[in-house]
mmCIF file of all heavy atoms in Angstrom:
data_model
loop_
_atom_site.group_PDB
_atom_site.id
_atom_site.type_symbol
_atom_site.label_atom_id
_atom_site.label_comp_id
_atom_site.label_asym_id
_atom_site.label_seq_id
_atom_site.Cartn_x
_atom_site.Cartn_y
_atom_site.Cartn_z
ATOM 1 N N GLY A 152 14.795 208.919 81.038
ATOM 2 C CA GLY A 152 14.663 210.308 81.494
ATOM 3 C C GLY A 152 14.418 211.333 80.393
ATOM 4 O O GLY A 152 14.498 212.536 80.635
ATOM 5 N N PHE A 153 14.105 210.870 79.169
ATOM 6 C CA PHE A 153 13.802 211.816 78.084
ATOM 7 C C PHE A 153 12.289 212.047 78.018
ATOM 8 O O PHE A 153 11.512 211.142 78.312
ATOM 9 C CB PHE A 153 14.272 211.253 76.729
ATOM 10 C CG PHE A 153 15.767 211.162 76.608
ATOM 11 C CD1 PHE A 153 16.434 209.995 76.957
ATOM 12 C CD2 PHE A 153 16.508 212.252 76.173
ATOM 13 C CE1 PHE A 153 17.820 209.901 76.859
ATOM 14 C CE2 PHE A 153 17.892 212.171 76.073
ATOM 15 C CZ PHE A 153 18.548 211.000 76.414
ATOM 16 N N SER A 154 11.911 213.272 77.634
ATOM 17 C CA SER A 154 10.473 213.507 77.488
ATOM 18 C C SER A 154 10.123 213.583 76.006
ATOM 19 O O SER A 154 10.963 213.916 75.165
ATOM 20 C CB SER A 154 10.056 214.773 78.230
ATOM 21 O OG SER A 154 10.512 215.884 77.511
ATOM 22 N N ILE A 155 8.897 213.246 75.696
ATOM 23 C CA ILE A 155 8.432 213.197 74.307
ATOM 24 C C ILE A 155 7.551 214.417 73.999
ATOM 25 O O ILE A 155 7.553 214.924 72.884
ATOM 26 C CB ILE A 155 7.654 211.873 74.069
ATOM 27 C CG1 ILE A 155 8.570 210.663 74.326
ATOM 28 C CG2 ILE A 155 7.072 211.808 72.655
ATOM 29 C CD1 ILE A 155 7.870 209.321 74.430
ATOM 30 N N GLU A 156 6.862 214.884 75.030
ATOM 31 C CA GLU A 156 5.892 215.976 74.849
ATOM 32 C C GLU A 156 6.507 217.194 74.141
ATOM 33 O O GLU A 156 7.531 217.720 74.577
ATOM 34 C CB GLU A 156 5.344 216.394 76.217
ATOM 35 C CG GLU A 156 4.255 217.428 76.101
ATOM 36 C CD GLU A 156 3.370 217.469 77.332
ATOM 37 O OE1 GLU A 156 2.936 216.396 77.782
ATOM 38 O OE2 GLU A 156 3.133 218.568 77.832
ATOM 39 N N GLY A 157 5.860 217.577 73.057
ATOM 40 C CA GLY A 157 6.275 218.780 72.327
ATOM 41 C C GLY A 157 7.499 218.602 71.444
ATOM 42 O O GLY A 157 7.884 219.513 70.712
ATOM 43 N N LYS A 158 8.107 217.408 71.494
ATOM 44 C CA LYS A 158 9.350 217.195 70.732
ATOM 45 C C LYS A 158 9.043 216.819 69.265
ATOM 46 O O LYS A 158 8.021 216.212 68.963
ATOM 47 C CB LYS A 158 10.175 216.068 71.380
ATOM 48 C CG LYS A 158 10.669 216.403 72.789
ATOM 49 C CD LYS A 158 11.758 217.458 72.745
ATOM 50 C CE LYS A 158 12.423 217.693 74.080
ATOM 51 N NZ LYS A 158 11.533 218.217 75.119
ATOM 52 N N GLU A 159 9.977 217.187 68.396
ATOM 53 C CA GLU A 159 9.907 216.771 66.986
ATOM 54 C C GLU A 159 10.319 215.304 66.905
ATOM 55 O O GLU A 159 11.474 214.969 67.212
ATOM 56 C CB GLU A 159 10.897 217.582 66.141
ATOM 57 C CG GLU A 159 10.484 218.979 65.819
ATOM 58 C CD GLU A 159 9.545 219.079 64.608
ATOM 59 O OE1 GLU A 159 9.272 218.052 63.950
ATOM 60 O OE2 GLU A 159 9.093 220.189 64.341
ATOM 61 N N CYS A 160 9.396 214.453 66.529
ATOM 62 C CA CYS A 160 9.703 213.016 66.424
ATOM 63 C C CYS A 160 9.602 212.622 64.955
ATOM 64 O O CYS A 160 8.582 212.894 64.319
ATOM 65 C CB CYS A 160 8.689 212.195 67.214
ATOM 66 S SG CYS A 160 8.520 212.721 68.926
ATOM 67 N N VAL A 161 10.638 212.012 64.428
ATOM 68 C CA VAL A 161 10.579 211.533 63.042
ATOM 69 C C VAL A 161 10.750 210.015 63.054
ATOM 70 O O VAL A 161 11.734 209.490 63.591
ATOM 71 C CB VAL A 161 11.642 212.208 62.142
ATOM 72 C CG1 VAL A 161 11.602 211.623 60.734
ATOM 73 C CG2 VAL A 161 11.434 213.718 62.102
ATOM 74 N N VAL A 162 9.760 209.328 62.488
ATOM 75 C CA VAL A 162 9.813 207.872 62.369
ATOM 76 C C VAL A 162 10.133 207.565 60.917
ATOM 77 O O VAL A 162 9.419 208.016 60.019
ATOM 78 C CB VAL A 162 8.440 207.241 62.734
ATOM 79 C CG1 VAL A 162 8.507 205.717 62.643
ATOM 80 C CG2 VAL A 162 7.982 207.687 64.116
ATOM 81 N N ILE A 163 11.209 206.832 60.669
ATOM 82 C CA ILE A 163 11.498 206.435 59.284
ATOM 83 C C ILE A 163 11.093 204.973 59.132
ATOM 84 O O ILE A 163 11.683 204.094 59.754
ATOM 85 C CB ILE A 163 12.983 206.623 58.909
ATOM 86 C CG1 ILE A 163 13.472 208.016 59.321
ATOM 87 C CG2 ILE A 163 13.183 206.404 57.409
ATOM 88 C CD1 ILE A 163 14.914 208.305 58.938
#
Side-chain angles (χ1 to χ4, degrees):
F153 292 92
S154 73
I155 300 167
E156 185 159 312
K158 295 289 188 297
E159 283 277 356
C160 307
V161 177
V162 181
I163 311 182

